[in-house]
């Protein structure tokens, strides 16, 4: 589990005879941030957190305030499992056996699950849906490209000691999903790969597919004068290399590997120049490019080919 600032709980202060009103006063003064009723965090530390860490703290805050056993699911379970997702403005997700479930209240989205399907395991001090169920539940409820992110991650042997297999995922698509949802989930699982380099690359690849462009080769090996480099995307027929610059590359320790962000920028530029020297063209995408209209313009300008229509038949037929 990631290292996060310690939550300050009004109930804990009350237990030792303190005045919990002081927490509210500190929040109004800008010293604390109230992230849920009765739950605060140091304002300076909160300001330094990335969106995924803020969401993780919201999940923890919910766990501290719920008064009954709760199974976290969807993006909330993914946060606890350290499975990357596209968050946006996600609520807290939890399962409910109450038939009136499925509504949001106090920032919590309850998902109805019959008693026989309330699978749960304990992870990092939380009750959560398992990794496979978590990824499939997300895939059933979000757009295609967003769904690719957690499924790619679970297939990857480089980020988990026990990666799951495609068959494990497909076999877990059961009757709890409608036929339409099951079909969507299966399409994501079939599209997913085990060699995506980052969550951003997975999301971008999904959008490239939806925009109708040819699938790239991933982690393609290019031999340059400075050594072998691996590209995020490569379209071999047109010698076009695509690179995705996600924030994680410049922010997260697992990507920095002891380097400073400025060192990473310089290394990326040198790497790009080395690829160009082999006669290949290179274009870069960032998060702000990932809107359908803008992404399509960038891909066309770079010379990325469109996906071959099935109606054309096999090129050698």
């Amino acid at each position: 589990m990631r290292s996060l600032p310690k939550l300050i709980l009004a109930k804990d202060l009350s237990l030792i005879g303190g005045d919990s009103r002081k927490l509210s006063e500190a929040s109004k003064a800008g010293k604390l941030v109230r992230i849920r009723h009765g739950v605060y965090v140091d304002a300076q530390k909160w300001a330094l957190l990335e969106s995924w860490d803020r969401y993780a703290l919201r999940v923890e805050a919910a766990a501290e305030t719920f008064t009954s056993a709760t199974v976290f699911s969807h993006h909330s379970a993914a946060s606890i499992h350290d499975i990357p997702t596209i968050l946006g403005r996600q609520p807290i997700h939890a399962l409910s056996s109450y038939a009136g479930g499925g509504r949001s209240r106090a920032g919590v989205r309850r998902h109805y699950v019959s008693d026989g399907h309330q699978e749960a395991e304990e992870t990092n001090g939380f009750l959560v849906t398992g990794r496979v169920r978590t990824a499939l539940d997300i895939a059933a409820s979000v757009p295609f490209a967003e769904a690719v992110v957690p499924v790619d991650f679970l297939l990857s042997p480089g980020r988990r000691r026990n990666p799951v297999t495609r068959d494990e995922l497909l076999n877990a698509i059961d009757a709890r999903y409608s036929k339409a949802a099951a079909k969507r989930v299966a399409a994501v699982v079939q599209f997913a790969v085990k060699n995506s380099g980052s969550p951003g690359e997975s999301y971008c690849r999904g959008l490239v597919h939806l925009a109708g462009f040819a699938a790239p080769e991933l982690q393609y090996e290019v031999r340059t004068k400075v050594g072998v480099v691996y590209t995020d995307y490569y379209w071999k027929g047109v010698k076009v290399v695509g690179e995705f610059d996600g924030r994680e590359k410049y922010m997260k320790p697992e990507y920095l590997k002891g380097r400073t962000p400025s060192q990473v920028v310089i290394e990326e530029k040198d790497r790009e120049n080395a690829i160009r020297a082999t006669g290949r063209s290179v274009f870069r995408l960032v998060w702000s490019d990932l809107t359908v209209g803008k992404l399509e313009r960038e891909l066309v300008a770079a010379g990325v080919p469109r996906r071959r229509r099935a109606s054309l038949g096999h090129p050698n037929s």
Side-chain angles (χ1 to χ4, degrees), residues 271-293:
R271 180 174 172 275
E272 181 177 319
N273 289 336
I275 294 172
R276 290 184 191 279
T278 67
R280 296 171 171 86
S281 63
V282 182
F283 74 102
R284 288 188 174 274
L285 296 169
V286 296
W287 281 104
S288 60
D289 293 322
L290 301 189
T291 60
V292 176

Side-chain angles (χ1 to χ4, degrees), residues 56-72:
L57 271 184
R58 288 193 176 103
V59 174
E60 184 179 346
E64 290 286 0
T65 56
F66 290 163
T67 56
S68 59
T70 299
V71 180
F72 291 95

Side-chain angles (χ1 to χ4, degrees), residues 21-37:
R21 289 176 298 180
K22 291 183 179 180
L23 298 179
S24 179
E25 293 170 1
S27 177
K28 291 177 181 178
K31 296 178 181 179
L32 297 177
V33 172
R34 178 181 176 273
I35 58 177
R36 195 169 181 82
H37 180 71

Side-chain angles (χ1 to χ4, degrees), residues 224 226-230 243 245 249-250 254-276 282 284:
T224 73
V226 297
V228 174
V229 298
Y230 294 89
E243 295 288 279
D245 280 348
K249 186 181 291 185
Y250 304 99
E254 60 263 40
Y255 293 100
L256 288 172
K257 297 178 181 178
R259 301 168 296 175
T260 65
S262 59
Q263 286 174 322
V264 174
V265 170
I266 293 171
E267 288 180 15
E268 288 294 308
K269 186 63 177 176
D270 291 343
R271 180 174 172 275
E272 181 177 319
N273 289 336
I275 294 172
R276 290 184 191 279
V282 182
R284 288 188 174 274

